[in-house]
Amino acid sequence: MLSTSARPIIEATVPVLLANGEAITRHFYNRMFNAHPALKNLFNMGNQAVGEQPQALARAVYAFAAHMDKPEVIGPVLDRIAHKHVSLGITPAQYTIVGRHLLASLGEVLGEAVTPEVAAAWDEVYWLMATELVAREARLYQERNWHAGQPWLEMEVAAREAVSADALAFTLKPLEGQPVPDFVPGQYLSVALPIPELGLTQVRQYSLSNAPGEAGLRITVKRVAATATTPAGQVSNRLHASLHVGDLLRVGPPAGDFQLKDGGAPVVLISAGVGITPMLSILNHLARHQPGRPVVFAHAGTDAAHYAHRFEAEALLDALPQAAYHLWLENPAGAPQAQPGRMDLAQLPAQPADAEYYLCGPLPFMQAQRRTLLARGVVSAQIHYEVFGPDLFAELG
Ligand SMILES: Cc1cc2nc3c(=O)[nH]c(=O)nc-3n(C[C@H](O)[C@H](O)[C@H](O)COP(=O)(O)OP(=O)(O)OC[C@H]3O[C@@H](n4cnc5c(N)ncnc54)[C@H](O)[C@@H]3O)c2cc1C
Ligand code: HEM
């Protein structure tokens, strides 16, 4: 609970933080990485370069300060961060480092506006948020039988398969005597890969695309090619170029708040491009354990050649008697089921009121589909989403 002396100060300075949040967090990362260069191995340097992680951190602190008395607003924000942190093995001790640099950055960026009283009030907010996160993360680590700070698992690549023109699926098996980590369909894991030209390890998340309970974990990686204005993706290209059967890959514990809900409610899966990966895990799981559960699979992509796992998805849908399939391809040649163009959910028949919706794809795609669902009367609490990057999607207002 925020103290009565801090509350009015926080209320008065939240707008200042919002206006300067990104400048503060950018300054913070530079400051922290100068003092602790090893932490660069944990953070995605691409997200730093394009400013997405600083934005995500600023929005999270702002959301917490503005809504800390509303658990229904702040709970999902904290859950998402805690899952991401657990997938990275973040430790409670690292909160002291982050706190020290974040709070110092506040003063260094905002100058005299940060009086000792303002600094003390924000210190209180940081530690309230950190305490909440550490508690959630401790629970998640315990559920996974994992200790914060322990070495990551080494898993062996048992299979490598091209599943579209630009995506590879890697099946990872535990080393002798180790169990296959458990997960819930929809979750992801972090992989750590040395990048010699950066002199760093880089970590990325990949959704698991097979069902829990199988002999290994499968991830599906789309190669992020260079464009006229952006460089080739560091980790995806290296995984494609140099990860082969028999190689070892370091992975963190599966995590993620995007999870198929238990029970029998109808499931509506809405994906685009490589956003199919968590949906495929859900379809595989339903085929094994709940083949009678009603499911709609709506997918969009550019063309048949870039439709990852197309034949697996279609075989699973054929095997699910209550499944409906809707496909949109910008170029539908070679896919008789596809409608030409972009996804239009208004064409779907109305779904039962208890249906749960799962979205995954590029941000503008998810925002558009979410708008259509809301316009059709779907309750926002029944719309779940996964963002393949820092979460800039959540409505924090
Ligand atoms: C929860 C989650 C699940 C995910 N699941 C999957 C999955 O199942 N399959 C999958 O393929 N991906 C998935 N991703 C995405 C994945 O984690 C990586 O982000 C993706 O593989 C790209 O990583 P990269 O290292 O190749 O690219 P990066 O090097 O991280 O680059 C990413 C983008 O930033 C641009 N960029 C980098 N540096 C700069 C710069 N200096 N200036 C301008 N632009 C720059 C790059 O050009 C590129 O477009 C997931 C992400 C999350 C968070
Ligand atoms: C109160 C303190 C903290 C807050 C509010 C916070 C907030 C966030 C947010 C919002 C994200 C993005 C989540 C997403 O994917 O949507 C994130 C990711 C991350 N956090 Fe934290 N965090 C905190 C503490 C820490 C600490 C102590 C560390 C350890 C050094 C840490 C390391 C990371 C890393 C490595 C990522 C992934 C970044 C990336 O992929 O670029 N965080 N955090």
Side-chain angles (χ1 to χ4, degrees):
M1 197 60 181
L2 194 61
S3 66
T4 43
S5 57
R7 183 167 297 275
I9 300 176
I10 294 300
E11 279 168 5
T13 51
V14 156
V16 185
L17 183 95
L18 187 58
N20 296 280
E22 205 182 324
I24 296 163
T25 49
R26 264 188 189 285
H27 181 92
F28 148 74
Y29 281 115
N30 287 332
R31 198 180 197 284
M32 183 172 75
F33 291 149
N34 278 335
H36 300 273
L39 284 178
K40 285 186 177 175
N41 293 302
L42 260 185
F43 284 84
N44 176 333
M45 289 296 128
N47 290 344
Q48 294 288 321
V50 297
E52 288 190 346
Q53 177 57 26
Q55 273 184 51
L57 177 64
R59 287 183 62 159
V61 176
Y62 161 70
F64 186 78
H67 304 297
M68 65 178 103
D69 299 333
K70 295 185 220 142
E72 70 287 2
V73 176
I74 206 61
V77 177
L78 294 173
D79 273 341
R80 179 172 164 102
I81 302 171
H83 276 278
K84 179 63 73 70
H85 284 168
V86 163
S87 87
L88 292 155
I90 301 301
T91 65
Q94 288 169 328
Y95 278 87
T96 308
I97 298 174
V98 165
R100 185 184 322 126
H101 290 282
L102 192 58
L103 294 162
S105 300
L106 207 63
E108 286 163 11
V109 173
L110 297 180
E112 286 170 6
V114 183
T115 60
E117 292 74 23
V118 170
W122 279 100
D123 184 79
E124 211 178 307
V125 169
Y126 174 82
W127 280 107
L128 279 173
M129 189 168 190
T131 308
E132 282 280 346
L133 285 170
V134 167
R136 279 166 206 251
E137 288 159 23
R139 246 190 335 269
L140 294 173
Y141 283 126
Q142 195 178 25
E143 284 166 17
R144 284 158 180 74
N145 205 7
W146 191 279
H147 303 285
Q150 81 176 55
W152 289 30
L153 280 182
E154 298 260 34
M155 294 189 79
E156 182 178 335
V157 179
R160 167 189 159 116
E161 185 196 355
V163 293
S164 78
D166 60 1
L168 289 176
F170 297 96
T171 303
L172 309 173
K173 289 231 166 113
L175 299 185
E176 194 76 37
Q178 303 264 15
V180 181
D182 198 15
F183 68 97
V184 179
Q187 291 191 309
Y188 57 82
L189 52 66
S190 291
V191 315
L193 204 66
I195 308 284
E197 55 276 27
L198 292 181
L200 291 172
T201 293
Q202 280 287 271
V203 177
R204 299 290 184 269
Q205 288 72 40
Y206 293 100
S207 298
L208 294 155
S209 60
N210 64 336
E214 293 182 18
L217 301 177
R218 187 181 65 178
I219 57 171
T220 302
V221 180
K222 179 187 160 188
R223 194 172 71 82
V224 177
T227 68
T229 49
T230 56
Q234 292 277 4
V235 171
S236 60
N237 280 282
R238 186 164 294 270
L239 289 170
H240 276 235
S242 57
L243 189 70
H244 295 284
V245 171
D247 290 344
L248 297 182
L249 187 64
R250 275 200 310 132
V251 306
D257 62 334
F258 183 72
Q259 304 175 4
L260 174 67
K261 295 206 172 302
D262 283 343
V267 173
V268 183
L269 308 175
I270 301 167
S271 55
V274 76
I276 192 173
T277 50
M279 310 309 179
L280 210 60
S281 177
I282 293 174
L283 288 175
N284 271 301
H285 173 81
L286 293 179
R288 288 177 127 215
H289 298 289
Q290 290 187 296
R293 192 163 170 184
V295 55
V296 174
F297 177 58
H299 184 68
T302 50
D303 57 39
H306 292 87
Y307 179 175
H309 291 292
R310 171 183 169 196
F311 299 109
E312 180 177 330
E314 291 180 349
L316 285 164
L317 292 163
D318 280 345
L320 291 165
Q322 300 266 40
Y325 179 30
H326 303 269
L327 176 66
W328 287 264
L329 294 178
E330 286 170 33
N331 172 2
Q337 314 83 337
Q339 308 191 49
R342 302 223 161 160
M343 182 179 285
D344 177 12
L345 289 182
Q347 294 177 16
L348 253 59
Q351 298 301 312
D354 61 341
E356 299 281 344
Y357 297 76
Y358 300 86
L359 268 64
C360 187
L363 269 182
F365 165 86
M366 290 200 287
Q367 282 160 337
Q369 309 319 325
R370 185 169 190 273
R371 273 195 301 274
T372 309
L373 294 175
L374 293 174
R376 296 186 84 193
V378 175
V379 182
S380 107
Q382 286 167 226
I383 306 177
H384 316 285
Y385 65 90
E386 183 60 282
V387 185
F388 281 1
D391 183 3
L392 304 176
F393 182 60
E395 284 183 317
L396 302 173

